[in-house]
Amino acid sequence: MTSSAFPETMFAPSADPTWLLTEEGYDPLRESSRETRFAISNGFLGVRGERAFTRGRRWTTPARTYVAGLFDRTGEAGGVPVLLPAADWLQVQLHANGIRFVDEPADVPSHRMDLDMRRGLVLSDCFHDAGPVRLRVRTLRLVSLHERALGLQMIRLNILEGEATVTLEASLEGIDHGLTLLTGSPDLMTWRTRRSGIALAMTAGAALKIDGRTEPPGETGPLRSSWTWTTRPGQVVEFERLVSLARSPDGAAAAATARAALKRAQGRRARGVVGDHQAAWSERWAHSEVEVDGDPAAQRALRFAAYHLNSAANPDDERVSIGARALTGSDYGGHVFWDTDIYLLPFYCHTWPEAARALLMYRHHGLEAARAKARAQGWSGALYAWEAASGGEEATPPSTVAPDRQVLGILTGLREHHVSADVAYGVWRYWTATGDEEFLREAGAEILFETARFWASRAVPEPDGRRHIRGVIGPDEYHETVDDNAFTNVMAAWNIQRALDTVELMRGRWPQGWSELSSRLGLDESELDQWRDAAARIATGYDPQTGLYEQFAGFFGLEPVDLSAYAGRSVPMDVVLGRERTQRSQVIKQADVVALLALLPDVFPGGSGKRNFLYYEPRCGHGSSLSSPLHALVAARLGETDKALDYFSRTAAIDLSDTTAAVGGGVHIGALGGLWMATVFGFAGVAFGEDGLHLSPRLPSGWTRLAFTLQWRGRRLGCEILQTARRVTVSLDDGPSTVVQIEATRHPLEPGRPINAAY
């Protein structure tokens, strides 16, 4: 493989600091957090941001590479499938006169790393004295957003002083993380998972140039090469390594796919690979960037969120989804939760509909597993897994170890049933956002019908004339096995009603499709009557006298706890109070009724939305990263912008501050999606109706300008809100004319004729 010299600009980070995450020096207590923040991903490959080149093997684990869908069952995880790491393909060792350059990261205090979010690159730069040689080392790494099988590593060594015999060895490390080696050759290795039978292939090509001259390797092995030369001052040494990975049930097919991708990349050479990757990122930013003037911290937080959201999705593979930590860490075993359907889909629906569709098709492929889970618990229809892996089967571990070292059973996989309504909510949001008729006919309607069927069987009629859903866990997981959780029940009734709406839509618009689908599902009019009855009679816990939803039956009778007395705590409230007292109290783990207010504001009549927020907000201990973004969204809608900004900042701090060690296990991708939701649906006040886009801006006082792009039903809309002038500009950049409502005033929006209106 040959290449021209790397241009200097390739190693230079973006000039605008709000596009960068930068860290210098070495702090062992912060290394795992940095590895998470500086992760690169493209929805198929993810690589944690370990320090480049200056890492000694004695001090850290290999740089973790994750491949979407590479799940296997392990004894350590209680027999549930977990995402396995692949081999570290970034391993490079340098020796001068037989002595390794770096034994531990602290040996290189000048080390700087930049995550260039605009270009989707990780760059590093350091100066180092290694015996007789002083050199500058700059590196670049990426996983291609243009061709997701590809990874690229580039290193430039500038020899500043000294002469020595130097050896550079490029190899793999960590090649046995639960994988069985099948084949190994100089340019290809293949493995297979031990139980799930998934094959993984990795092929690579590496080259070294000294002063522009390509040097042949002196020693090679399976994906390993080394070069030895004599340095001199002024010498420029350039190393590049392209790798390609493929996942398949068949090892030969995986190898062929990986080889073909590498061959295409070698034809474009490293500069072409970087160029294609940067162009793909430019396209993503054109559809998803959110601009904030007046608050640089908020601007960086929103770019960080959009960077990881854009990195997490793969619209080309509907057999995988996005786990709770995406491909940036190992927490939760790579499992998919309700986070994807509630917190991530809004971003993709309105910035990347192709990615949203793939995520929902993953849910459609998991329908049979959801049906099996419902049957196993005695219900009809589809009960989705609380934690899902590749096939959609339940992947929740059976137990965990509590902070007090007790082994506790995990009940969420058995009783946290609202996930089925959450999946249905994602289906309906996508349908209303895109108008994708093919998806609704071929996949979405079936999900809506089977989840409605589940809820109609789950909501049991009782002598009081209501239907009750007993023995569940709502979003507030501090209270287990409760009856009539308001979030679960209202979402269930909503789910059934949307299924009934879809029935009427199909009957009127696609009668043949309705006939075929209803026949295949055995869905007749008598069952639809049961759905109508269930939707009308499910107990919701709403008290019209007070305007409050009771979070679950009996909640109002629990012990009130003043959470302000525990404001300085560093651990969750269930640890402070103990599990038993927490379950007897009104302390809430995360947004529950408030989550309902965020998702279905129309079920809160009159001023009851604000009454519920004022009641539940002081009772929430925010023991989940998913809690603060929904509180930010609701507070912003209610005009509580200072409170909303505080919750926004708390959400941003989850991954960008070092106040918690939890970030070491991967970014909290749901919270990052929630940050975007809080900004667009909260501060900008965006909502969508049948008649078009609605905006009711509520910007924080320090935000002088907010701008973003949205996609809606085949249109691309540009929105800009100016705080000082209290003006809104909306442009129709692509698609047919529509109507935009700004506060209470409706405006026609046509191509080439932006709206500029007061708010």
Side-chain angles (χ1 to χ4, degrees):
M1 182 171 63
T2 61
S3 170
S4 59
F6 311 150
E8 287 287 329
T9 53
M10 194 173 286
F11 294 93
S14 296
D16 183 348
T18 62
W19 283 103
L20 299 177
L21 224 57
T22 301
E23 293 198 14
E24 298 192 36
Y26 172 65
D27 180 349
L29 298 179
R30 299 174 63 209
E31 283 297 288
S32 66
S33 298
R34 182 179 63 181
E35 290 164 9
T36 289
R37 294 188 195 110
F38 284 70
I40 51 177
S41 179
N42 58 22
F44 175 64
L45 298 178
V47 181
R48 283 176 60 79
E50 262 102 344
R51 294 163 62 91
F53 173 72
T54 58
R55 179 173 49 79
R57 299 184 189 189
R58 294 185 293 124
W59 298 91
T60 61
T61 57
R64 289 296 175 95
T65 293
Y66 295 101
V67 178
L70 191 68
F71 286 98
D72 201 16
R73 296 180 182 273
T74 66
E76 293 82 359
V80 301
V82 297
L83 190 67
L84 298 182
D88 170 15
W89 53 273
L90 295 167
Q91 183 63 219
V92 171
Q93 292 290 327
L94 272 177
H95 295 78
N97 293 336
I99 299 173
R100 188 162 55 195
F101 269 45
V102 176
D103 275 330
E104 60 172 296
D107 288 345
V108 191
S110 71
H111 189 272
R112 166 179 169 148
M113 281 184 74
D114 290 290
L115 172 64
D116 190 329
M117 295 180 283
R118 180 191 286 274
R119 297 192 291 157
L121 304 173
V122 169
L123 305 165
S124 74
D125 194 350
C126 70
F127 292 86
H128 185 55
D129 295 310
V133 179
R134 183 169 185 267
L135 70 164
R136 180 184 186 185
V137 184
R138 283 174 287 179
T139 74
L140 175 154
R141 72 176 71 152
L142 64 85
V143 289
S144 174
L145 200 65
H146 173 75
E147 185 158 359
R148 288 181 170 82
L150 295 178
L152 173 65
Q153 175 187 33
M154 303 170 71
I155 299 174
R156 170 176 279 178
L157 310 176
N158 289 86
I159 310 302
L160 305 177
E161 298 176 11
E163 294 184 0
T165 300
V166 170
T167 297
L168 182 150
E169 181 181 345
S171 61
L172 299 183
E173 189 170 319
I175 60 175
D176 58 351
H177 292 302
L179 298 171
T180 299
L181 182 64
L182 298 178
T183 60
S185 65
D187 66 341
L188 173 73
M189 294 183 75
T190 60
W191 302 263
R192 186 177 296 280
T193 57
R194 292 169 184 167
R195 294 172 180 84
S196 59
I198 302 170
L200 176 70
M202 180 186 295
T203 183
L208 186 82
K209 290 186 176 182
I210 300 176
D211 293 331
R213 185 183 67 255
T214 300
E215 298 291 328
E219 183 181 349
T220 62
L223 299 189
R224 182 176 64 84
S225 301
S226 68
W227 294 263
T228 299
W229 74 97
T230 301
T231 65
R232 56 171 179 75
Q235 191 176 68
V236 177
V237 180
E238 297 171 324
F239 170 79
E240 68 177 60
R241 173 162 46 184
L242 273 167
V243 300
S244 175
L245 289 88
R247 182 201 76 230
S248 172
D250 179 70
T257 300
R259 284 189 187 278
L262 183 67
K263 184 177 181 180
R264 289 192 297 271
Q266 289 174 322
R268 298 196 305 277
R269 302 186 179 180
R271 189 181 298 193
V273 170
V274 173
D276 291 342
H277 171 74
Q278 292 180 167
W281 267 105
S282 295
E283 174 71 11
R284 288 288 352 113
W285 286 118
H287 289 87
S288 62
E289 184 180 359
V290 178
E291 297 179 5
V292 174
D293 292 349
D295 189 339
Q299 177 67 90
R300 179 180 282 107
L302 285 164
R303 283 185 174 151
F304 180 80
Y307 163 76
H308 278 292
L309 289 164
N310 281 317
S311 299
N314 180 5
D316 299 326
D317 190 350
E318 59 186 42
R319 293 287 180 172
V320 300
S321 187
I322 301 172
R325 297 294 185 263
L327 293 175
T328 69
S330 60
D331 276 8
Y332 296 106
H335 295 169
V336 179
F337 290 76
W338 71 308
D339 313 23
T340 305
D341 308 281
I342 297 298
Y343 292 82
L344 304 187
L345 272 173
F347 172 84
Y348 297 119
C349 285
H350 295 296
T351 68
W352 201 358
E354 299 84 356
R357 193 184 205 276
L359 294 172
L360 289 167
M361 289 304 299
Y362 165 84
R363 290 300 197 184
H364 186 254
H365 291 305
L367 254 179
E368 194 49 54
R371 291 183 179 111
K373 181 180 176 182
R375 284 195 303 271
Q377 295 195 27
W379 313 113
S380 302
L383 173 56
Y384 275 93
W386 178 244
E387 300 184 33
S390 53
E393 294 83 6
E394 183 60 67
T396 303
S399 60
T400 188
V401 179
D404 60 4
R405 311 311 296 167
Q406 291 187 51
V407 177
L408 301 175
I410 297 176
L411 300 179
T412 51
L414 293 172
R415 296 177 184 165
E416 198 145 1
H417 293 171
H418 65 81
V419 61
S420 276
D422 304 330
V423 172
Y425 186 90
V427 168
W428 193 256
R429 177 179 283 280
Y430 174 78
W431 158 243
T432 56
T434 65
D436 184 344
E437 296 182 355
E438 180 185 57
F439 167 79
L440 187 66
R441 291 195 312 268
E442 298 184 2
E446 187 174 8
I447 293 174
L448 291 169
F449 296 161
E450 288 292 74
T451 50
R453 177 174 267 171
F454 165 72
W455 290 118
S457 71
R458 186 69 178 84
V460 179
E462 296 190 13
D464 64 356
R466 310 296 293 175
R467 284 178 177 250
H468 297 273
I469 301 177
R470 301 193 180 276
V472 299
I473 301 173
D476 168 23
E477 294 164 343
Y478 286 165
H479 298 90
E480 298 176 331
T481 318
V482 302
D483 297 334
D484 290 332
N485 169 251
F487 181 91
T488 301
N489 288 25
V490 174
M491 289 287 285
W494 177 93
N495 184 167
I496 296 170
Q497 190 56 58
R498 298 294 78 76
L500 290 167
D501 292 345
T502 305
V503 169
E504 295 309 310
L505 178 66
M506 292 192 73
R507 280 173 165 169
R509 193 178 296 184
W510 311 296
Q512 182 65 31
W514 161 250
S515 176
E516 292 173 358
L517 181 58
S518 60
S519 175
R520 177 161 61 85
L521 298 181
L523 188 56
D524 58 23
E525 197 62 34
S526 64
E527 185 172 0
L528 295 180
D529 286 339
Q530 286 295 312
W531 292 8
R532 295 182 185 101
D533 180 77
R537 292 205 290 137
I538 288 177
T540 65
Y542 181 71
D543 180 359
Q545 299 300 314
T546 63
L548 294 178
Y549 280 93
E550 187 171 25
Q551 183 176 296
F552 55 82
F555 179 85
F556 289 153
L558 300 179
E559 175 196 0
V561 174
D562 180 7
L563 291 182
S564 65
Y566 302 90
R569 72 186 188 279
S570 58
V571 294
M573 280 304 300
D574 62 330
V575 176
V576 174
L577 299 178
R579 284 172 53 83
E580 291 186 4
R581 186 183 173 195
T582 301
Q583 291 175 353
R584 296 194 306 268
S585 77
Q586 291 185 353
V587 175
I588 302 165
K589 178 179 179 180
Q590 62 176 302
D592 197 303
V593 172
V594 171
L596 188 60
L597 181 54
L599 302 183
L600 299 178
D602 291 344
V603 304
F604 292 80
S608 65
K610 188 158 193 174
R611 286 196 291 276
N612 278 272
F613 183 74
L614 292 176
Y615 182 85
Y616 284 103
E617 187 256 345
R619 289 166 167 77
C620 188
H622 303 291
S624 164
S625 62
L626 300 176
S627 188
S628 55
L630 290 192
H631 278 75
L633 190 164
V634 172
R637 279 182 181 162
L638 295 174
E640 301 279 349
T641 52
D642 289 343
K643 188 181 289 290
L645 184 60
D646 177 60
Y647 279 118
F648 175 96
S649 300
R650 289 195 216 178
T651 306
I654 291 169
D655 286 328
L656 287 174
S657 76
D658 289 305
T659 57
T660 172
V663 69
V667 298
H668 297 74
I669 195 71
L672 296 178
L675 204 65
W676 183 90
M677 292 168 62
T679 303
V680 174
F681 301 151
F683 294 132
V686 167
F688 293 94
E690 285 300 318
D691 56 346
L693 170 70
H694 298 195
L695 287 103
S696 298
R698 301 288 186 270
L699 298 195
S701 57
W703 291 22
T704 59
R705 173 179 171 270
L706 174 63
F708 50 90
T709 297
L710 294 173
Q711 293 191 49
W712 179 70
R713 294 188 182 175
R715 300 169 179 88
R716 183 178 171 193
L717 305 166
C719 304
E720 182 182 55
I721 303 166
L722 299 178
Q723 169 91 307
T724 359
R726 296 192 65 79
R727 307 286 297 180
V728 174
T729 300
V730 182
S731 61
L732 181 58
D733 301 328
D734 190 29
S737 300
T738 186
V739 173
V740 173
Q741 182 171 314
I742 299 172
E743 298 293 4
T745 307
R746 291 163 57 82
H747 305 265
L749 180 62
E750 299 175 1
R753 300 182 63 182
I755 297 166
N756 189 293
Y759 73 91

